Amino acid sequence: MKDVYILGIESSCDETSCAIVKNGKEEIATIISSQIDIHKNYGGVVPEIASRQHVKNITIVIEECLEKANMEIKDIDAIAVTYGPGLIGSLLIGLEAAKTLSFIYNKPLIPVHHIAGHIYANNLVKEMKFPLLALVISGGHTELVYMKEHLNFEVLGGTLDDAVGECYDKVARVVGIPYPGGPHIDRMAEIGNANYKLPIPLNDDSYNFSFSGLKSAVINLAHNLEQRKEELNKEDLAASFQEVVTTVLAKKVEKAIDEKNIKYFITAGGVAANLAIREKLSKLCDEKNVEYSFPAIRYCTDNAAMIAAAGYYYYLNNSFSNLIINAKSSDVLK
Ligand code: KG4
Ligand code: ZN
């Protein structure tokens, strides 16, 4: 079969990204323009500012990507783009750019669910094997997904309130760390001791998660110490929080591995960059004799290579869209 080159576009939040991926697994070029430096002044992503930055960046990012790959649009087989979920204004910029390229150059248009993209970041490291279990942990999502084959997503459970990354960012705020706090908490936890007692949330028999209670427990702990004029050990708090998060994630993953007879496990999303989570889950998989992979650290957070990788499998299925497709701020993975 001839090689297939997919150009991916991702703009669902605060990263404008374009990538070219060959045959769903080989990254040719990726450009990511991050807006973190702008949004961190506000303690989180400001949707209107994000959209305006995407407008500024999108054509430059696409041009740079083609240049880096030493390719022209005529060499591309299809355009894959994140249609949702995400910030509606941000999504629209990437989607309109993709539609325009598709229309002008007569290339098939492939809409990709953002979470499907995160999952397929793993395919760029090691070809995914089925049936598999995916733990999706990002700033907006916490989901356990079962896949019996490519593009077949069964959501086993998810968060009932906050996403795990959101919780990392809020805990970071409590200790005065700028957005996005996840990577900082990860590093602080490494040097701290898990001395603070925090509750294990939704420690039940379901595949669901809950992180808002844990977030409140951290806030209350910090307030109580402040009222008693006792010093908060930030590293110990980070370690205590991370210990609870890794425990609850591993517990639900273990349940799914056992009940679904899983032989292949992957993790996806921004929080999949977390070293303690990687360590805990790899240990669990080793014990259970389950093969596993993690995305490359740079492809845990939002990027277009993951969208192009997923897009390849839609391409093989001829799953193309016409130009009236709209962006969706929320949409179930299916
Ligand atoms: O996947 P992503 O870029 O955005 C969404 O689709 O939501 O994930 C961003 C999230 C942020 O909450 C960030 O704090 C978190 O991923 N994150 C981490 C780490 N690196 C990024 N959280 C914990 N440990 C990390 N090393
Ligand atoms: Zn994401």
Side-chain angles (χ1 to χ4, degrees), residues 12 114 118 138 270 300-302 306:
S12 65
H114 183 70
H118 272 303
S138 74
C300 287
T301 43
D302 293 347
M306 65 187 199

Side-chain angles (χ1 to χ4, degrees), residues 155-181:
V155 178
L156 301 177
T159 183
L160 304 177
D161 39 57
D162 293 355
V164 63
E166 196 180 342
C167 194
Y168 262 95
D169 295 337
K170 298 243 172 81
V171 167
R173 238 168 133 160
V174 171
V175 293
I177 290 166
Y179 169 85

Side-chain angles (χ1 to χ4, degrees), residues 66-82:
L66 284 162
E67 207 172 293
K68 190 172 173 191
N70 203 12
M71 292 175 80
E72 294 175 35
I73 284 274
K74 69 170 172 41
D75 307 319
I76 299 294
D77 294 285
I79 316 283
V81 59
T82 310

Side-chain angles (χ1 to χ4, degrees), residues 141-310:
H141 298 266
T142 308
E143 271 156 20
L144 265 177
V145 181
Y146 177 76
M147 292 176 72
K148 72 168 187 273
E149 58 193 3
H150 275 299
L151 307 179
N152 186 309
F153 307 102
E154 184 194 339
V155 178
L156 301 177
T159 183
L160 304 177
D161 39 57
D162 293 355
V164 63
E166 196 180 342
C167 194
Y168 262 95
D169 295 337
K170 298 243 172 81
V171 167
R173 238 168 133 160
V174 171
V175 293
I177 290 166
Y179 169 85
H184 297 275
I185 295 284
D186 191 6
R187 284 193 288 274
M188 287 163 71
E190 245 185 281
I191 43 174
N193 295 309
N195 291 333
Y196 293 114
K197 186 135 187 57
L198 293 167
I200 298 198
L202 212 67
N203 194 10
D204 66 358
D205 224 20
S206 74
Y207 288 127
N208 291 325
F209 303 91
S210 164
F211 291 102
S212 73
L214 178 59
K215 173 187 72 189
S216 304
V218 169
I219 294 171
N220 290 341
L221 180 93
H223 282 170
N224 289 341
L225 288 174
E226 198 183 330
Q227 274 175 352
R228 294 205 300 269
K229 305 227 179 315
E230 288 175 32
E231 206 182 318
L232 172 75
N233 183 316
K234 294 178 181 178
E235 286 75 23
D236 285 0
L237 180 68
S240 311
F241 165 73
Q242 191 150 279
E243 168 85 12
V244 172
V245 171
T246 52
T247 301
V248 76
L249 293 178
K251 187 185 161 173
K252 305 279 164 137
V253 167
E254 183 172 8
K255 178 180 154 69
I257 286 177
D258 291 343
E259 291 182 0
K260 293 274 176 188
N261 196 19
I262 298 295
K263 295 279 169 254
Y264 200 81
F265 172 72
I266 59 175
T267 314
V271 186
N274 186 282
L275 298 178
I277 293 175
R278 284 180 175 230
E279 199 182 307
K280 182 104 173 178
L281 294 174
S282 2
K283 202 161 157 253
L284 173 69
C285 288
D286 286 338
E287 280 164 17
K288 299 254 155 204
N289 211 7
V290 167
E291 202 180 332
Y292 60 90
S293 79
F294 293 101
I297 299 276
R298 68 187 186 287
Y299 296 139
C300 287
T301 43
D302 293 347
N303 66 86
M306 65 187 199
I307 302 301

